[in-house]
Amino acid sequence: MIKVIPIPIFHDNYVWLIRHAMQAGEPLDHAIVVDPGDADPVLAYLAQEQLTLSAVLITHKCYDHVMGIGALVGQHPAPVYGPSVDIIKGVSHPVEDNAVITASQSLKFQAM
């Protein structure tokens, strides 16, 4: 099971946080963050919920999607996946089209 949480940032955007378990039947105590344009609200949520950051997914190079990468992984080291066609500071795992990112036994993402 997964749970998707929208975390509001700026005045018109969201960071999407996906709560998941590393194995079936375990608690939803891990998080994947999508497009962290602002780290502060995400860091607050991770602390409040006592979550482990397991990955960061970047969909494209735009300031409101990438500005929080450094602060986020500075406090919660995790792999950062992003498009290989862009040079994005902080992306540790550039991915090509159709690449599969495995977050846990039951949670996988395909790059498009």
Side-chain angles (χ1 to χ4, degrees), residues 48-102:
Q48 174 186 323
E49 298 292 319
Q50 299 180 320
L51 298 174
T52 299
L53 183 65
S54 55
V56 176
L57 305 179
I58 304 300
T59 60
H60 64 283
K61 184 180 182 176
C62 190
Y63 82 94
D64 61 341
H65 290 230
V66 302
M67 292 301 293
I69 295 172
L72 187 57
V73 298
Q75 290 191 35
H76 296 272
V80 179
Y81 299 91
S84 62
V85 296
D86 292 320
I87 297 173
I88 301 172
K89 185 176 181 179
V91 169
S92 58
H93 294 73
V95 295
E96 302 287 334
D97 280 345
N98 298 315
V100 175
I101 299 164
T102 302

Side-chain angles (χ1 to χ4, degrees), residues 2 18 32 34 55 57 98-104 107-111:
I2 64 170
I18 303 165
I32 296 167
V34 181
L57 305 179
N98 298 315
V100 175
I101 299 164
T102 302
S104 67
L107 186 57
K108 297 178 183 181
F109 299 90
Q110 183 173 5

